[in-house]
């Protein structure tokens, strides 16, 4: 959470500096913008898969420019989590899709093609959850904790949420981009297991201590397949 807040302030500061900068005179030369499909991979989920033994997942990224500053964009991913904690053990497995738009807030100079962007998404997930064990704490400290072994799978679960993104996409080589963003999410609706709540929603994140609000981040690499310039 601290990382996400620091990234948010960094991006806001960068936007403010970019908007205050003086444009470079180009003597009425018009630079054409490249239009094409940009696809990539989220490195954050791959790194987490390597370092977190309870997590396995990936996320594909994509966008397509439809106007100078406006893009249609989306993400597609899969997540599997096997969480063992002091009070509860559970598994969640499923896929998700997010679709929406990105708007570039940055005024590029000359033939630069970078983005400081604001994005909006509608996210949807389909997943299953297996409740393995949970503990019930007693009000009286003299009584032991009651452990319930359930080991029951709930399939056909769904969730729908809105997501706001603030991020950057920087062209480091021709048509090759580095991307980083932070996300704030608001759950709209979800199908929950009988007599229990969802504990983790793929693409949204954990829900057992955050309620209807979620946060997240992405950093990765994208490649643009150029189609034409105008």
């Amino acid at each position: 959470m601290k990382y996400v807040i620091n990234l948010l302030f960094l991006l806001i500061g960068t936007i403010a500096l970019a908007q205050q900068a003086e444009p470079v005179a180009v003597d009425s030369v018009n630079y054409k913008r490249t239009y094409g499909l940009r696809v990539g991979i989220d490195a954050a989920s791959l790194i987490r898969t390597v370092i977190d033994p309870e997590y396995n997942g990936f996320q594909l990224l994509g966008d397509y420019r439809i106007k100078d500053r406006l893009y249609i964009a989306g993400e597609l991913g899969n997540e599997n989590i096997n969480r063992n904690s002091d009070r509860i053990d559970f598994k969640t497995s499923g896929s998700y899709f997010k679709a929406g738009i990105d708007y570039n807030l940055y005024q590029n100079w000359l033939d630069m093609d970078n983005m400081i962007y604001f994005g909006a998404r509608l996210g949807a997930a389909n997943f299953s959850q297996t409740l393995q064990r949970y503990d019930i704490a007693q009000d009286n400290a003299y009584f032991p904790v009651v452990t319930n072994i359930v080991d029951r799978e709930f399939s056909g679960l769904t969730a729908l949420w809105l997501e706001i993104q603030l991020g950057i996409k920087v062209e480091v080589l021709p048509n090759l981009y580095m991307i980083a963003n932070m996300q704030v999410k608001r759950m709209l609706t979800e199908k929950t297991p009988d007599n229990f709540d969802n504990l983790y929603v793929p693409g949204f994140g954990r829900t057992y201590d955050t309620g209807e609000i979620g946060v997240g981040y992405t950093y990765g690499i994208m490649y643009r397949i150029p189609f034409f310039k105008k």
Side-chain angles (χ1 to χ4, degrees):
M1 183 64 178
K2 183 178 179 181
Y3 171 84
V4 173
I5 293 174
N6 290 338
L7 179 60
L8 175 61
F9 281 116
L10 175 62
L11 292 173
I12 291 175
T14 305
I15 291 171
L17 290 174
Q19 297 302 317
Q20 293 174 4
E22 292 295 332
V24 176
V26 289
D27 297 330
S28 70
V29 175
N30 293 320
Y31 286 88
K32 293 184 177 181
R33 300 300 182 193
T34 300
Y35 286 66
L37 177 64
R38 191 158 44 187
V39 295
I41 188 75
D42 172 33
S45 58
L46 298 181
I47 293 173
R48 185 180 176 188
T49 297
V50 173
I51 65 177
D52 185 351
E54 297 182 337
Y55 177 86
N56 184 280
F58 71 91
Q59 180 176 237
L60 303 178
L61 316 171
D63 69 23
Y64 182 80
R65 175 183 256 150
I66 56 176
K67 291 187 177 181
D68 184 28
R69 295 197 183 197
L70 186 63
Y71 298 72
I72 55 174
E75 295 83 25
L76 175 67
N78 181 276
E79 289 188 306
N80 297 274
I81 189 165
N82 186 358
R83 183 69 72 213
N84 298 312
S85 64
D86 293 338
R87 303 218 167 214
I88 191 168
D89 298 341
F90 69 93
K91 295 180 180 179
T92 299
S93 177
S95 301
Y96 63 91
F97 176 73
K98 298 186 288 186
I101 61 170
D102 289 339
Y103 183 79
N104 189 7
L105 303 171
Y106 180 67
Q107 178 62 56
N108 281 290
W109 297 350
L110 306 178
D111 58 347
M112 293 170 56
D113 198 9
N114 301 318
M115 293 179 65
I116 301 174
Y117 72 92
F118 171 85
R121 302 284 192 276
L122 180 65
N126 185 283
F127 59 101
S128 64
Q129 181 172 262
T130 300
L131 179 61
Q132 299 169 311
R133 173 195 64 88
Y134 66 94
D135 293 343
I136 300 177
Q138 304 294 321
D139 294 335
N140 193 318
Y142 292 99
F143 290 93
V145 174
V146 177
T147 298
N148 293 274
I149 306 299
V150 182
D151 199 22
R152 180 182 176 187
E153 181 180 7
F154 302 89
S155 59
L157 304 176
T158 58
L160 191 70
W161 67 92
L162 286 177
E163 178 174 311
I164 299 301
Q165 296 185 4
L166 185 62
I168 57 175
K169 296 178 184 179
V170 179
E171 189 175 22
V172 293
L173 292 172
N175 295 313
L176 185 66
Y177 294 79
M178 299 298 293
I179 173 177
N181 68 47
M182 65 87 58
Q183 308 139 20
V184 178
K185 312 169 189 184
R186 172 67 160 79
M187 185 68 71
L188 296 178
T189 182
E190 58 179 322
K191 181 180 179 181
T192 59
D194 296 334
N195 302 318
F196 215 78
D197 287 331
N198 291 319
L199 301 171
Y200 190 96
V201 175
F204 183 90
R206 66 187 189 187
T207 58
Y208 56 86
D209 61 352
T210 60
E212 297 178 342
I213 303 299
V215 295
Y217 62 90
T218 293
Y219 52 88
I221 189 169
M222 301 184 75
Y223 180 79
R224 181 177 59 199
I225 304 170
F227 293 162
F228 60 89
K229 291 186 177 184
K230 71 174 184 179

